Amino acid sequence: MDVLINVFVALHIIGIASLLGGFLTQMKAMGSGAARFTPAMLHGALTMLVTGMVLVGLNQADDQTVNNVKVGIKLALLVVILALVYVKRDEEKTGKGPFIVVGALTTANIFIATVWT
C-alpha cells in the first residue's frame, strides 16, 4: 500500500509542478498583458484533483489519519483554481487579476500541504 500511495504522491507533485510551472512561464507575458492559461495548467490542476482524491481514499483505507479540515481547504482552493483556468482557457489574453489569483492560490496550496502538520 505504501508504494501505491507514494506513486500517487509523485503524480500529485507532477500536477502541482505543471500548474505552477505554467504560471511561472507566463509571468513575463503577464507584465505585458499577454498572459494566457495554458493547457498544462488545466491538466495539472485536474491531475491534482484526481490524485488528491485517490490519496485521501488510500490513506483512509490504510487506516492512516487524514486531516479533513486541511484536505477541505486544499480542495476549496483547487476548485477555485480549476474554475478560473477552465473558464478562461480559450481566451487569447487573460487579465492580470485572475492570473495572479491562480498563482497565489497555487502557492497557498503548496504551503498548506507542506507547512500545516
Side-chain angles (χ1 to χ4, degrees):
M1 186 69 96
D2 288 339
V3 172
L4 189 60
I5 290 172
N6 288 335
V7 166
F8 278 97
V9 167
L11 291 172
H12 197 68
I13 292 170
I14 290 170
I16 194 77
S18 178
L19 179 59
L20 186 63
F23 170 76
L24 292 174
T25 59
Q26 293 290 312
M27 283 188 69
K28 185 175 181 180
M30 185 176 60
S32 64
R36 62 184 304 262
F37 290 119
T38 63
M41 294 174 75
L42 177 63
H43 296 148
L46 288 171
T47 300
M48 285 179 58
L49 178 65
V50 171
T51 57
M53 291 189 309
V54 170
L55 281 169
V56 168
L58 287 174
N59 281 312
Q60 287 180 341
D62 198 27
D63 289 330
Q64 295 182 20
T65 58
V66 176
N67 187 340
N68 290 319
V69 174
K70 176 181 174 180
V71 170
I73 291 171
K74 286 177 55 59
L75 178 62
L77 294 178
L78 186 57
V79 166
V80 172
I81 291 168
L82 262 170
L84 282 170
V85 173
Y86 186 78
V87 168
K88 304 275 188 184
R89 74 187 186 283
D90 290 332
E91 292 183 10
E92 193 65 33
K93 295 179 183 178
T94 304
K96 285 184 181 181
F99 212 78
I100 290 173
V101 168
V102 167
L105 291 179
T106 301
T107 304
N109 220 342
I110 292 169
F111 278 101
I112 290 169
T114 56
V115 175
W116 187 346
T117 55

